[in-house]
Each structure stands twice: as C-alpha cells, then as structure tokens.
Amino acid sequence: QLRLVESGGGLVQAGGSLRLSCTASGLTFSEYTMGWFRQAPGKERQFVASVTKGGLSTYYRDSVKGRFTVSRDNAVNTVYLQMNTLRQEDTAVYYCAADQRTPASVWYALRQSAVDYWGEGTPVTVSS
C-alpha cells in the first residue's frame, strides 16, 4: 500500500524550467522528511534537496542553490521540486524520497539503503 509517485519530468531546453511533483499514499505524510535525489547514467544517486516535516526549512546541494526550490503541501501529501535555469548537467532520473528518522539537514549524507521509501523516478532531460 505504500507508494510514492513522481510526475512532471520530460524534455526541456537549457535555461528552461520544470516542476516535479511526488504524491505519497499509504503513510502518515507529516511524519516524514521528504526530498529529492537524482541519478545520471553511470553515476551514483546524489542528494538534490530536502524539506523538513512541517515544510519550514529546506536544504540543497550547492550546484542547485538559487535555481531549485523544494516545497511540500501536507494537506495533499505532495512534495514539489521547482527547477529553474536548467542546465545539461541536471539531466538525470529524479527520485522522490521519504524518511522518518533522518533530519532534513542531514540528508546530504544519506545512504541510498537507509532511505525508508523511494519513488520509481521521473526522467529529466535538458538539451543543450
């Protein structure tokens, strides 16, 4: 019954924008820190952004600061990733993640195996 479903990925030109959504079911959404990771072919899955359980604080990897915004709406069990000024280097499969124990401020150090739940991923391709 537990499920995270991403949407919003696609093909976009460099400099463009895209908004990803992830809707959760089968869990008490407000009890989970939420966030996003991404994985490009041949590379390890890397942390992108995280948001605290109440949505008041956010954290980002350095390369997306000022361009990406993570937010959540606990009323509809959804976390978002607004991506602006996209670069070719942002091309990857983007995965929604949920974890009950790890604070959002520590998500940069999360091992893939330690995350409670993963979505199936949504691909984002940024053309040059």
Side-chain angles (χ1 to χ4, degrees), residues 11-126:
L11 175 64
V12 64
Q13 291 187 327
S17 298
L18 214 56
R19 188 173 81 152
L20 307 183
S21 298
C22 171
T23 299
S25 61
L27 53 79
T28 304
F29 189 70
S30 62
E31 293 182 356
Y32 288 80
T33 298
M34 301 296 298
W36 296 88
F37 287 71
R38 66 188 182 187
Q39 189 166 23
K43 292 188 175 181
E44 295 183 352
R45 193 168 297 188
Q46 65 179 202
F47 166 74
V48 177
S50 59
V51 57
T52 53
K53 295 176 180 179
L56 297 179
S57 297
T58 57
Y59 303 87
Y60 304 90
R61 70 180 296 107
D62 287 345
S63 63
V64 308
K65 288 179 179 177
R67 300 189 298 122
F68 290 12
T69 302
V70 62
S71 61
R72 66 191 292 164
D73 186 345
N74 288 355
V76 293
N77 287 12
T78 301
V79 61
Y80 306 94
L81 185 67
Q82 177 67 47
M83 304 184 293
N84 298 327
T85 320
L86 283 161
R87 305 167 181 168
Q88 191 173 34
E89 309 91 85
D90 297 317
T91 295
V93 176
Y94 283 71
Y95 296 90
C96 176
D99 194 89
Q100 194 168 30
R101 295 182 177 87
T102 308
S105 61
V106 190
W107 269 45
Y108 72 93
L110 264 182
R111 300 173 72 93
Q112 184 173 334
S113 61
V115 174
D116 289 339
Y117 303 109
W118 290 103
E120 292 297 320
T122 186
V124 172
T125 301
V126 184

